[in-house]
Amino acid sequence: MKKVLAFDIDQTLNVAKTPITDDIAELLIKCLDHFEICPISGQKFDQFLVQIVNRLEDNGVTPEQLTHLHLFVAQGTQYYRFDGKDWQQIYNYPLTDEQVRKISETIERAARELGYWEEDKLQAGDEIIENRLSQVTFSALGQKAGTEAKYAWDPDHKKREQIVALCKKYSPEFDYEIGGTTSINAITPGMNKVFGMTHLLEELKVTKEDILYFGDMTQPGGNDYPVVQMGIDTITVRNHEDTAFALRGILGVI
């Protein structure tokens, strides 16, 4: 029997950039009684709280259950654990200021050259490039854009593939991964989900065979693909409804 259920977030546990539904929250709460639950995503800590933790609390999760929830932030380059009262950061591997500057300039240059720098579409106070400490993330329409607009911007990933190709030309010392609906995560080599999952193994003292991973971008080039390459058992889903269906099946045989 598996000991750990690990999840990508956008398009796996939720509609991109929105809080998880009551249905997913209730299923995750039930899973917390049987498994260590480990969301791992390119998102920042605050987004984990808004999209997952707060919704679990709205649906009655207990402090004891939350001690079995492990937040692997920014592809697992940051790790937070609940101590019964509050969330504690266990580790963080931040980029240097110079790395953040270089990545930001590279992504903006590539997006502008291709005509994909759409600053005029940003909502007030939003930004296209975000420093997430251990990674820099390009969100073409910003974080606050509506779900419909996000889904429509690059459904086949072609725009982001072009941006990534130029970024690799201008700053090949960094890695660039396509994620979510409009995002590109830029990291130093090796700081992808392999890094996060490797630390998950160490922190939870489990083996790869103990883990079942859920993700929507498990194809080559997707930000879930490194997990597949590790040899971890993976379920590819199209959306959170697929994930809910699978979780009901898992809970049904416990």
Side-chain angles (χ1 to χ4, degrees):
M1 179 176 168
K2 300 295 185 181
K3 298 178 181 178
V4 176
L5 301 182
F7 302 87
D8 175 50
I9 297 181
D10 279 351
Q11 292 298 102
T12 299
L13 287 177
N14 62 354
V15 174
K17 299 296 183 290
T18 66
I20 60 174
T21 64
D22 286 337
D23 187 30
I24 288 290
E26 290 168 4
L27 288 166
L28 289 179
I29 289 170
K30 291 177 182 178
C31 287
L32 286 167
D33 289 330
H34 305 282
F35 305 96
E36 303 302 308
I37 301 299
C38 303
I40 177 170
S41 167
Q43 300 185 36
K44 60 185 179 180
F45 176 63
D46 289 349
Q47 290 172 304
F48 277 70
L49 296 182
V50 170
Q51 294 183 29
I52 298 176
V53 176
N54 292 351
R55 296 294 294 124
L56 295 179
E57 292 174 342
D58 291 343
N59 283 272
V61 71
T62 67
E64 167 59 26
Q65 287 173 319
L66 283 178
T67 64
H68 298 285
L69 179 66
H70 308 267
L71 308 182
F72 287 87
V73 174
Q75 309 293 45
T77 55
Q78 303 164 37
Y79 169 43
Y80 292 81
R81 176 188 291 160
F82 192 70
D83 65 4
K85 295 183 179 179
D86 205 354
W87 290 95
Q88 303 296 328
Q89 186 181 79
I90 307 304
Y91 67 69
N92 181 21
Y93 293 86
L95 296 165
T96 66
D97 291 343
E98 175 59 23
Q99 287 172 324
V100 171
R101 183 195 64 78
K102 183 69 177 296
I103 290 171
S104 300
E105 289 178 353
T106 298
I107 295 175
E108 181 171 349
R109 177 184 176 188
R112 284 187 182 278
E113 287 185 16
L114 292 164
Y116 300 144
W117 186 264
E118 303 184 51
E119 207 166 17
D120 58 310
K121 296 183 179 179
L122 289 179
Q123 296 186 26
D126 210 352
E127 55 190 353
I128 293 175
I129 294 181
E130 183 180 17
N131 177 8
R132 296 184 180 175
L133 302 181
S134 45
Q135 74 179 35
V136 174
T137 297
F138 167 86
S139 298
L141 304 178
Q143 294 295 319
K144 299 178 182 179
T147 300
E148 187 174 338
K150 283 178 174 286
Y151 281 120
W153 189 77
D154 187 30
D156 58 3
H157 307 165
K158 297 301 182 185
K159 292 180 180 179
R160 283 173 290 169
E161 287 173 358
Q162 293 176 54
I163 296 172
V164 165
L166 266 188
C167 286
K168 287 180 178 178
K169 175 183 175 181
Y170 295 143
S171 293
E173 67 270 32
F174 302 109
D175 286 342
Y176 308 88
E177 291 184 333
I178 293 171
T181 52
T182 66
S183 299
I184 297 169
N185 299 318
I187 53 177
T188 53
M191 301 296 272
N192 57 16
K193 283 186 178 177
V194 170
F195 180 93
M197 295 300 289
T198 298
H199 277 268
L200 183 157
L201 294 171
E202 295 172 359
E203 295 289 343
L204 275 61
K205 296 180 173 55
V206 295
T207 68
K208 289 189 289 186
E209 291 71 27
D210 293 324
I211 302 171
L212 180 60
Y213 181 84
F214 294 75
D216 69 302
M217 298 191 72
T218 58
Q219 77 282 3
N223 64 3
D224 299 312
Y225 187 61
V227 182
V228 177
Q229 291 180 301
M230 289 180 71
I232 290 172
D233 287 342
T234 301
I235 293 179
T236 300
V237 298
R238 296 165 297 178
N239 47 45
H240 67 281
E241 289 95 341
D242 284 356
T243 301
F245 182 82
L247 291 180
R248 289 191 192 95
I250 290 169
L251 290 167
V253 299
I254 293 177

